[in-house]
Amino acid sequence: MINYFKAVYAILKKDLMVEFRTKESINSMAVFGLLTVTVFSFILEPSSDSKVEVAGGIFWIAIIFSGLLGLGKSMLNEVNGGNFEAILLAPIDPTAIFFGKFLANMVSMILLEIIILPIFSVFYSINILSHPLMLLILFLTTYAFSLLGTLFSVISVKSRSREAMLPLLLLPILIPVILAAILSTNIFVAGGDIVGSYNWIKILSVFNIIFTAVIFVIFPSVVEE
Amino acid sequence: MLSKVSRVFDILLIIAVPIGLYFAFIYAPVEAKMGIVQKIFYFHVASAWVGFFAFFITFLMSISFLISRKFIFDDIAEASAEVGLLFTTIVLVTGPIWAKPTWGAYWTWDPRLTTTLILWFIYVGYILLRQYIADVNQRAKFSAALGIIGFIDVPIVFLSIRLWRTIHPNVVQKGGGGLHPDMLTSMFVCLGIFSIIYVAILLKRLSISSLERRILIIEEKK
Amino acid sequence: MSNSLIDIVNITKQYGHIKALRNISLSINKSDFVTIFGANGAGKSTLLKLISLQSRQTSGEINLSGVPYKKLGNAFKRRLGVISHQPFLYENLTAYENLLFYASLYDVKSPKKVVDDLLKRVDLFKRKDDLIRTYSRGMLQRASIIRSLVHNPDIILLDEPYTGLDTVASKVLTSLLKDQLSDSKTIVMVTHDIQVGLELSSKIVIMKKGEVAFNENISAIDKSNFENIYISQVTDKD
């Protein structure tokens, strides 16, 4: 068991080292995210009252679309040079590889959110983090996105037109997560009754628990030839 | 073997389809409020049932493939996903035709219809993925993963969309509570017949797969 | 049978209806250097994948010192080093970081010392803190070879290691392989390079259409005539 966590840590550390060395994904993710936020502000009058109804949507679309950019990049590093094959040859559990990469993707997503959140709040003069429960929503959504994002980046990297394949596979599966994230964020932005967010938190939690378990079970046979 | 079973189902269909049409158009009474357009209901519901069942078969076959690595399961999973996609497309086309005169709009974000749309996207992705991976082995493994995850996702999608629609109050109420017993009978007859159509198409699709594999073997031997 | 290290018994590998390997049996002794030749699609790489546990056979069994692979799992992976025509290195990490990363996956004891020693052996110590993408082809190949040796494996598999190497780099590779051989390691190599195969091997195997078509000890092979044997086995005569 100790070896399992050691392996997860080794993969995580290596991924973060590559990322901080090149800053390739986080830079493009952050710029793309800010660009999305800016472009979306043209569809509504940013100072109007109706913004509270769409702010959650714009925020999460910006995060998810720029996240897609980063996922593809991270997996490309594994395929170039055949490293993924080499890691699979090592005496470690394949799911340790998965969870290492998943955690690395999650760290990138959290960094992205730390960059986008304050700027978004200033642009739209909205306080997204008005309630501590919003931190839980941020965490659960980031978890869900990174979890399935990591799996589908492993899958789509082996296909032709991989850049197009990842969002095509990932977005439909993530519909419950996207809905939950947007609608619960809107509750906090509008200052509504927080009880309304409980059901969304339940959906996010159920989604995460089920798919963590499913991936844990199927991942070894998906990567084994 | 496969072609013989397939022949039996073809003959079965020649008998069954007219029966289905009889039940839908003559046996079942015309609905009082919606009129003749309600007839589409029998095909709409039956397609939805078959589509969902087909994806369930893909799910089961995907699990079987990952455990056993027998490519016959991969063939069935693929065939069933394609047939399922055909029927969900029928659902998405017949739904609006029915909805326009009944509810006044082609598309309503009704939880069932929306879930079907998401389902359609998931399995379009499934089929695209299969086309974009050249390696047979990888194609089978990866699409099996998608076949499993996609299907498990469906109830969560449904729950979340239902929750979304109950928040927005403009959800359209389903017209009419109870069905006329003759309508119910007709619906079940159509369900049965659509299931036969499903099996018949599935068998035809499977024989194409086995032909494709045979071509691969012949090419291999060259 | 008794003194063989890896015993491949009646292996068949099927992808769908396509048989990549048909009833392959092969035994590899400790300290053997086995070279596998064969045309593209003859099943060489598939066989290597089965030996390296990257892939499961459809039927048959592979034993390591009499114990079936299935039971060994990670214990076997720990003893195995694989060199491929792909570098297996992250180009945005330094050689040192790459080697330490792989050492950590294998849980190598005192990894820094091991990595330093390996780097010195192939003259890369001075460049150890440079990014892999700044390396020349020859340096990359050397780094890639020591990467596979970082956990001191006693079984080494090489998948067309000479592909894309210039003369200098392939000389370095050959001498490194000789070093390994003198360490009494067991080596299995897939290659198209007849000269190298004859020079290093203790056993030559030629595969054809998923079967073993030729399997001889080097002492039993007339080297001057080998090219003819090779051509007759590898090319089609349909």
Side-chain angles (χ1 to χ4, degrees):
Chain A
M1 217 44 205
I2 291 165
N3 278 334
Y4 188 89
F5 291 116
K6 257 186 173 171
V8 172
Y9 176 71
I11 304 271
L12 168 66
K13 189 177 135 198
K14 181 268 307 169
D15 266 23
L16 294 181
M17 251 158 72
V18 173
E19 182 47 41
F20 287 116
R21 176 75 37 76
T22 60
K23 297 180 192 69
E24 258 177 1
S25 351
I26 193 66
N27 282 346
S28 48
M29 277 160 83
V31 173
F32 186 76
L34 290 177
L35 201 57
T36 314
V37 168
T38 310
V39 169
F40 268 104
S41 63
F42 301 143
I43 51 175
L44 77 162
E45 184 57 45
S47 55
S48 76
D49 292 337
S50 62
K51 73 182 176 192
V52 292
E53 285 170 30
V54 290
I58 294 174
F59 175 73
W60 282 112
I61 295 297
I63 294 292
I64 284 169
F65 280 24
S66 22
L68 282 168
L69 223 60
L71 283 175
K73 273 253 167 64
S74 146
M75 204 47 216
L76 218 53
N77 282 325
E78 298 293 350
V79 178
N80 291 343
N83 287 294
F84 199 64
E85 207 179 308
I87 299 177
L88 286 173
L89 281 166
I92 56 174
D93 195 295
T95 59
I97 302 172
F98 177 85
F99 286 109
K101 296 207 68 67
F102 155 68
L103 287 176
N105 281 330
M106 213 169 150
V107 171
S108 306
M109 289 302 288
I110 291 170
L111 274 180
L112 173 75
E113 284 157 16
I114 292 174
I115 297 169
I116 301 284
L117 234 164
I119 300 175
F120 181 84
S121 303
V122 170
F123 274 13
Y124 289 79
S125 51
I126 277 170
N127 183 13
I128 286 191
L129 288 177
S130 60
H131 193 282
L133 262 186
M134 188 54 209
L135 282 175
L136 183 64
I137 301 283
L138 276 165
F139 172 79
L140 290 174
T141 308
T142 310
Y143 184 102
F145 177 83
S146 313
L147 186 77
L148 285 168
T150 307
L151 179 74
F152 284 118
S153 66
V154 171
I155 288 177
S156 63
V157 83
K158 293 288 173 67
S159 71
R160 277 179 287 138
S161 70
R162 45 172 84 111
E163 290 84 3
M165 214 57 231
L166 181 59
L168 278 183
L169 299 179
L170 191 54
L171 288 179
I173 304 276
L174 282 180
I175 291 289
V177 175
I178 296 171
L179 262 178
I182 291 176
L183 294 173
S184 53
T185 304
N186 280 346
I187 292 172
F188 294 116
V189 169
D193 188 1
I194 58 155
V195 176
S197 70
Y198 291 172
N199 276 328
W200 294 118
I201 291 174
K202 274 186 210 156
I203 284 191
L204 284 171
S205 312
V206 166
F207 186 96
N208 287 339
I209 291 168
I210 289 179
F211 283 116
T212 306
V214 169
I215 291 175
F216 191 80
V217 174
I218 68 172
F219 192 74
S221 46
V222 169
V223 288
E224 185 196 70
E225 281 221 15
Chain B
M1 171 61 190
L2 199 60
S3 62
K4 267 185 190 157
V5 181
S6 184
R7 185 76 38 87
V8 171
F9 271 90
D10 290 350
I11 294 164
L12 216 58
L13 276 186
I14 294 174
I15 306 161
V17 169
I19 296 176
L21 291 173
Y22 167 78
F23 268 91
F25 286 104
I26 299 166
Y27 182 80
V30 175
E31 218 270 356
K33 271 182 285 175
M34 292 181 263
I36 195 77
V37 74
Q38 184 266 347
K39 296 289 184 195
I40 212 166
F41 163 84
Y42 303 107
F43 307 101
H44 178 76
V45 173
S47 304
W49 148 254
V50 170
F52 196 79
F53 180 74
F55 296 144
F56 176 62
I57 295 294
T58 299
F59 169 69
L60 288 185
M61 292 302 127
S62 301
I63 295 174
S64 309
F65 174 78
L66 284 186
I67 294 171
S68 71
R69 298 288 158 140
K70 295 219 161 58
F71 278 77
I72 176 72
F73 296 126
D74 182 50
D75 284 347
I76 302 175
E78 178 187 30
S80 197
E82 282 183 12
V83 181
L85 193 63
L86 172 71
F87 281 98
T88 27
T89 310
I90 294 175
V91 175
L92 292 176
V93 172
T94 51
I97 295 175
W98 185 21
K100 178 66 179 170
T102 319
W103 295 329
Y106 282 113
W107 188 264
T108 61
W109 293 95
D110 157 79
R112 270 166 286 191
L113 200 55
T114 312
T115 305
T116 310
L117 179 66
I118 305 303
L119 204 62
W120 187 84
F121 276 118
I122 292 175
Y123 289 91
V124 166
Y126 177 92
I127 285 166
L128 282 178
L129 179 71
R130 296 195 67 98
Q131 283 173 359
Y132 284 144
I133 300 180
D135 182 290
V136 233
N137 195 33
Q138 261 172 359
R139 184 197 303 147
K141 286 185 313 184
F142 291 168
S143 46
L146 185 55
I148 293 168
I149 286 178
F151 190 79
I152 295 175
D153 198 38
V154 174
I156 313 179
V157 170
F158 180 75
L159 282 178
S160 66
I161 291 172
R162 205 179 54 181
L163 192 55
W164 169 49
R165 294 324 291 170
T166 46
I167 284 173
H168 294 242
N170 58 357
V171 65
V172 188
Q173 288 301 312
K174 281 272 164 197
L179 278 174
H180 188 284
D182 287 350
M183 289 183 181
L184 209 62
T185 315
S186 303
M187 193 191 78
F188 280 116
V189 171
C190 287
L191 276 186
I193 291 165
F194 267 67
S195 305
I196 301 173
I197 299 178
Y198 162 73
V199 178
I201 301 179
L202 187 76
L203 290 172
K204 294 222 180 297
R205 181 62 187 78
L206 274 177
S207 58
I208 294 175
S209 302
S210 90
L211 281 177
E212 281 170 351
R213 295 230 184 259
R214 257 159 64 191
I215 291 170
L216 280 177
I217 294 170
I218 293 167
E219 277 177 353
E220 176 81 354
K221 279 189 181 143
K222 262 191 171 173
Chain C
M1 274 289 185
S2 55
N3 63 345
S4 65
L5 182 66
I6 299 174
D7 252 320
I8 300 167
V9 190
N10 281 330
I11 284 287
T12 299
K13 175 71 184 176
Q14 233 169 318
Y15 291 111
H17 297 276
I18 297 169
K19 282 191 175 167
L21 296 177
R22 302 154 198 269
N23 273 320
I24 297 256
S25 289
L26 199 63
S27 61
I28 297 163
N29 293 335
K30 195 170 160 32
S31 310
D32 257 356
F33 191 124
V34 181
T35 296
I36 304 175
F37 292 116
N40 288 333
K44 298 166 297 185
S45 294
T46 309
L47 183 61
L48 225 48
K49 279 205 168 124
L50 290 179
I51 299 178
S52 59
L53 262 181
Q54 280 173 288
S55 175
R56 275 188 289 184
Q57 62 269 27
T58 313
S59 65
E61 212 157 316
I62 305 184
N63 298 320
L64 183 77
S65 313
V67 185
Y69 260 29
K70 275 172 263 172
K71 289 183 187 161
L72 288 167
N74 285 344
F76 170 70
K77 284 184 169 181
R78 223 173 277 281
R79 294 177 58 182
L80 179 82
V82 175
I83 302 174
S84 133
H85 47 279
Q86 286 189 301
F88 288 169
L89 293 165
Y90 293 91
E91 54 176 22
N92 286 317
L93 294 181
T94 67
Y96 198 60
E97 288 164 341
N98 263 297
L99 292 170
L100 280 182
F101 165 64
Y102 279 104
S104 70
L105 292 187
Y106 285 90
D107 213 4
V108 172
K109 302 276 173 286
S110 55
K112 286 186 178 156
K113 192 187 166 305
V114 172
V115 169
D116 281 349
D117 287 348
L118 282 169
L119 283 163
K120 280 173 191 156
R121 256 171 78 182
V122 292
D123 274 336
L124 285 174
F125 190 70
K126 280 183 189 149
R127 296 281 313 263
K128 75 183 171 84
D129 290 324
D130 290 343
L131 295 185
I132 288 292
R133 65 179 148 91
T134 65
Y135 274 30
S136 72
R137 219 177 195 167
M139 291 163 70
L140 185 65
Q141 191 68 28
R142 277 180 276 157
S144 155
I145 293 164
I146 56 173
R147 185 216 67 89
S148 72
L149 302 177
V150 84
H151 54 293
N152 194 25
D154 64 330
I155 301 162
I156 301 171
L157 303 182
L158 300 109
D159 189 4
E160 301 188 14
Y162 286 92
T163 307
L165 287 197
D166 53 29
T167 7
V168 183
S170 49
K171 269 185 188 150
V172 174
L173 176 60
T174 306
S175 77
L176 267 165
L177 287 179
K178 281 181 178 162
D179 281 357
Q180 292 302 315
L181 214 51
S182 58
D183 271 2
S184 79
K185 303 208 167 173
T186 310
I187 302 180
V188 181
M189 175 167 79
V190 164
T191 187
H192 291 293
D193 194 321
I194 301 181
Q195 261 70 43
V196 174
L198 287 177
E199 184 187 344
L200 296 170
S201 308
S202 60
K203 195 179 208 176
I204 303 266
V205 171
I206 299 180
M207 288 183 68
K208 191 178 182 183
K209 292 184 178 168
E211 285 168 349
V212 172
F214 179 90
N215 179 7
E216 288 288 352
N217 284 330
I218 198 78
S219 50
I221 295 173
D222 175 9
K223 286 190 184 179
S224 55
N225 191 34
F226 182 72
E227 203 150 339
N228 293 330
I229 301 172
Y230 178 84
I231 288 166
S232 71
Q233 292 293 352
V234 168
T235 51
D236 286 313
K237 327 169 268 189
D238 287 339

